[in-house]
Amino acid sequence: MEMVAASCPQFTGLRPTLHNARSQPFAQHFNSQLRPSSSRKPCRPVVAMAGSGKFFVGGNWKCNGTKDSITKLVADLNSAKLESDVDVVVSPPFVYLDLVSSSLTDRIEVSAQNSWIGKGGAFTGEISVEQLKDIGCKWVILGHSERRHIIGENDQFIGKKAAYALNEGLGVIACIGELLEEREAGKTFDVCFQQLKAFADVVPSWDNMVIAYEPVWAIGTGKVATPQQAQEVHVAVRDWLKKNVSEEVASKTRIIYGGSVNGSNCGELAKQEDIDGFLVGGASLKGPEFATIVNSVTAKKVAA
């Protein structure tokens, strides 16, 4: 948290206050300019989820692990005590999907890190949705910033991937998020809404979709969006869904946060009303720490 404040004090928030946004028109509370945090009132210590979906925590293992280390990680996860009211998903590298799917407890579902845009065929190096389902995958991560900015996938291509996966019965963790220069230029909402629209234009339904907001400047950098920074983008995304898709979708769709989430910062992030869980990178490679993040759902529960 301190690293964020020290590195980028000029953009600690996008919105001057969080408390009255739901009772006043969206346009009065959101614009594309970044605001200082000095005028913001303190957040409520504990809040309920704004959305109606179940808390969701995904672990993206990326291109990490060996057979030995992943076997150890699976053993740690199988023995972990996890809160019951959380959907938990892990996403191993492709070559270990079958190993993890066949050895992991049923309590945790398995996701792929990518999938092809349509049915399999002469597409060297790609993995089809049908193949993923065949080995027990329930989810796929699509639109991750590393696919967008390193591999070069564009919004429309990612949207078509999501549409195909959903049509074939695979759940989609749909990633959105801005680069540092886009945030500094006041374009955070513009970027996120454009990425959302590419999904909204083609997906058949939002019933099996989870949106992961991952500011690119916070992924793997150790810099974490403050709870206020994350919350204000999450509430903007929910309001965009309400305006552009439907009120029901806005309520039911889970919006999770990703970007250097760990066992130390997950509790404060989880308290935010519109943060419905996490997509975790490096910390998901450590079984006990990942369990701590899953169990941060307790911070979401309203105090009696």
Side-chain angles (χ1 to χ4, degrees), residues 8-286:
C8 40
Q10 74 273 27
F11 52 93
T12 55
L14 302 175
R15 176 157 63 104
T17 180
L18 299 175
H19 291 274
N20 299 319
R22 294 192 171 279
S23 60
Q24 298 184 30
F26 175 82
Q28 294 180 19
H29 287 276
F30 295 92
N31 56 54
S32 62
Q33 300 303 311
L34 300 163
R35 302 293 184 85
S37 60
S38 58
S39 62
R40 187 184 293 110
K41 298 178 183 178
C43 290
R44 292 167 287 178
V46 181
V47 294
M49 288 171 69
S52 59
K54 196 175 183 181
F55 204 70
F56 186 103
V57 177
N60 182 7
W61 298 356
K62 304 189 180 182
C63 187
N64 292 296
T66 62
K67 188 182 293 185
D68 287 345
S69 68
I70 285 177
T71 299
K72 171 65 166 57
L73 179 53
V74 167
D76 288 343
L77 293 173
N78 285 344
S79 63
K81 293 184 178 179
L82 305 177
E83 291 288 323
S84 60
D85 50 349
V86 185
D87 285 335
V88 186
V89 176
V90 295
S91 187
F94 279 127
V95 293
Y96 301 118
L97 276 171
D98 200 21
L99 168 66
V100 174
S101 182
S102 62
S103 58
L104 190 65
T105 172
D106 291 341
R107 171 70 184 84
I108 302 173
E109 293 185 329
V110 177
S111 169
Q113 297 177 18
N114 185 37
S115 63
W116 180 235
I117 198 169
K119 193 172 183 180
F123 307 107
T124 301
E126 291 296 336
I127 307 294
S128 74
V129 169
E130 292 82 2
Q131 290 168 332
L132 295 175
K133 290 173 61 181
D134 189 43
I135 60 170
C137 283
K138 303 295 185 184
W139 296 86
V140 61
I141 299 171
L142 295 174
H144 193 281
S145 66
E146 291 152 7
R147 301 294 307 181
R148 293 178 185 272
H149 300 295
I150 298 175
I151 307 301
E153 296 182 2
N154 64 33
D155 294 343
Q156 289 68 38
F157 186 67
I158 294 163
K160 289 177 181 177
K161 283 187 175 188
Y164 187 79
L166 291 165
N167 272 319
E168 296 302 313
L170 206 60
V172 171
I173 302 169
C175 300
I176 63 171
E178 81 282 10
L179 297 165
L180 177 59
E181 54 265 35
E182 292 168 335
R183 172 167 277 266
E184 289 178 326
K187 296 180 179 178
T188 292
F189 293 147
D190 295 337
V191 171
C192 290
F193 295 167
Q194 177 180 313
Q195 292 169 349
L196 280 171
K197 185 177 185 300
F199 290 114
D201 283 346
V202 295
V203 298
S205 168
W206 291 78
D207 289 346
N208 212 13
M209 286 265 284
V210 172
I211 297 171
Y213 168 59
E214 295 196 302
V216 182
W217 48 271
I219 298 174
T221 64
K223 297 179 180 181
V224 186
T226 66
Q228 292 81 13
Q229 283 178 315
Q231 163 64 15
E232 55 207 5
V233 177
H234 280 233
V235 73
V237 168
R238 201 176 302 282
D239 283 339
W240 187 93
L241 291 173
K242 181 178 180 179
K243 179 180 179 181
N244 294 277
V245 185
S246 74
E247 186 169 352
E248 180 183 13
V249 165
S251 174
K252 291 171 62 176
T253 301
R254 291 172 288 186
I255 308 168
I256 63 178
Y257 172 76
S260 297
V261 177
N262 58 45
S264 299
N265 59 38
C266 59
E268 288 303 310
L269 287 162
K271 290 177 183 179
Q272 301 304 307
E273 186 175 4
D274 286 273
I275 295 180
D276 301 328
F278 302 109
L279 184 57
V280 186
S284 69
L285 298 171
K286 305 169 186 176

